[in-house]
Structures are given as C-alpha cells and as structure tokens.
Amino acid sequence: MEKFRRAIYPGSFDPVTLGHMDIITRASKVVDELIVAVLQNSSKTPLFSVDERVKMLKEVTADIPNVKIMSYNSLLVDYAKEVDATIIVRGLRAITDFEYELQMAQTNRIMNSEIDTIFFTTNIVYSYLSSSTVKEIAMYGGDISNFVAPCVEEKVYKKIEERKQKN
Ligand code: ADP
C-alpha cells in the first residue's frame, strides 16, 4: 500500500489571499492531506492575530475536505515531524522569491532529510499578489475585491478601521 501523503503549507497568511487559495487548491489535489499551518511567532507585526488568521483560512477552505488549518510556533521541520508530514509546500511568484525559498528548502532538508519541499509556481493572474500589497491598498481605502475572498475583504477593512481609531 502506498504511504499516506501529508503535506504542510506554512506561512503568515496575514491575511489569506487568492494567491494562497490557488496554491492550497492545487496542492490539495496532489497530496492526501494538506495542513495549512499559520506561523505564530513571526518577526513581522501582523494585522490579524493567529486565531483570526486560522478562522479566515477555515472559512475560505471549508469546501476542500482534505485541507486542515493549524498553527505552530516551532521549527518548521520539527512541526512537520510532529504531525507526520513529509512534504512542505511553498509558492513561487517571481525570481525574488526564489533565493529565499531555495535557502529555506535546503536548510530544512539538511535538518531533516525525510522531509522535502515542493514548489507550486504562481498562477500568472496572482503573480504580483502578496498579503502586504492587500494591506497597503486597503489602508488607503482601495478596492481589494480582486485579491481576497469576500469574507476576508470585509474583515480587512474592519480591522484597519479599528487600528485607525486606536491610533
Ligand atoms: P511567509 O511570511 O512565510 O512568506 P506568506 O503568507 O507571505 O508567508 O506566504 C506563504 C507562501 O505562499 C510562500 O511560499 C509564498 O511564496 C506563497 N505565496 C504568497 N502569495 C502567493 C501568490 N500570489 N502566488 C503564489 N504563491 C504565493
């Protein structure tokens, strides 16, 4: 019998974009189970808390049965081992992603040779898209409906409004 293939797609997902969703959909078709894992202690200051990001990811992936959403705050290879995943999924947008991703994939493989990274090249439609772009456009009141799911769009505007009132 073939081994059950469980993969992890790690990231900040602050917030999840249509680019991420495209990778999730495509990756979910080539593995048995895909764990989308939200990194907890990112050095970046996030707009959304980890719980909020997990909740949004659950909402937008609700119709894909073999996708699970989790969060983690350890070394990725250790977390992968803990959940018995042997594949790390990452997305590549442009050449600028490549150097960092290559370095990470190689480092992870040195730390645990049982775990390999597979890359999905971006859907050309989303090649320019990042969570930071979405936040920046929303900050200035721009339209983000082409970049995120409707339920995410609503939450981004609300959160930015809350932030503005606090400051
Ligand atoms: P991180 O902070 O780990 O880069 P992100 O949430 O920004 O987390 O991205 C997670 C992964 O998704 C990365 O591999 C990134 O390259 C990929 N990704 C992000 N946006 C896109 C996109 N528009 N198309 C393809 N891959 C993407």
Side-chain angles (χ1 to χ4, degrees):
M1 211 178 79
E2 258 188 56
K3 196 181 180 302
F4 186 85
R5 274 175 311 190
R6 184 178 286 117
I8 292 197
Y9 177 33
S12 311
F13 306 103
D14 184 42
V16 55
T17 67
L18 297 184
H20 294 129
M21 283 165 68
D22 178 64
I23 302 286
I24 294 172
T25 309
R26 287 157 61 201
S28 71
K29 289 181 187 155
V30 300
V31 298
D32 297 307
E33 186 178 273
L34 180 70
I35 297 178
V36 181
V38 180
L39 177 61
Q40 271 187 26
N41 62 348
S42 168
S43 50
K44 307 166 190 166
T45 313
L47 180 63
F48 290 99
S49 70
V50 170
D51 287 349
E52 288 168 329
R53 284 180 264 161
V54 165
K55 212 170 146 214
M56 277 188 277
L57 276 159
K58 282 189 178 164
E59 242 178 293
V60 299
T61 59
D63 60 345
I64 319 175
N66 64 336
V67 170
K68 269 193 186 167
I69 314 297
M70 317 271 245
S71 64
Y72 72 106
N73 77 357
S74 48
L75 210 52
L76 179 60
V77 283
D78 291 344
Y79 180 66
K81 196 169 173 198
E82 194 184 308
V83 296
D84 207 15
T86 50
I87 302 164
I88 294 169
V89 166
R90 295 287 287 176
L92 284 177
R93 278 162 295 195
I95 199 85
T96 42
D97 278 343
F98 182 79
E99 206 163 306
Y100 173 69
E101 293 293 343
L102 180 71
Q103 189 182 19
M104 257 202 348
Q106 287 174 334
T107 312
N108 285 338
R109 225 173 120 63
I110 287 168
M111 287 192 288
N112 188 334
S113 60
E114 314 262 289
I115 300 170
D116 225 327
T117 304
I118 58 174
F119 294 101
F120 284 80
T121 52
T122 185
N123 182 325
I124 196 79
V125 185
Y126 305 126
S127 57
Y128 56 86
L129 187 54
S130 71
S131 299
S132 344
T133 315
V134 167
K135 285 181 277 192
E136 204 163 306
I137 296 170
M139 206 83 79
Y140 294 103
D143 180 7
I144 55 168
S145 60
N146 286 325
F147 313 137
V148 296
C151 63
V152 174
E153 182 185 356
E154 197 182 301
K155 291 186 176 81
V156 172
Y157 287 127
K158 201 170 150 219
K159 184 63 108 182
I160 285 176
E161 202 44 52
E162 278 169 23
R163 283 279 167 97
K164 279 185 182 160
Q165 299 205 332
K166 256 194 215 161
N167 295 335

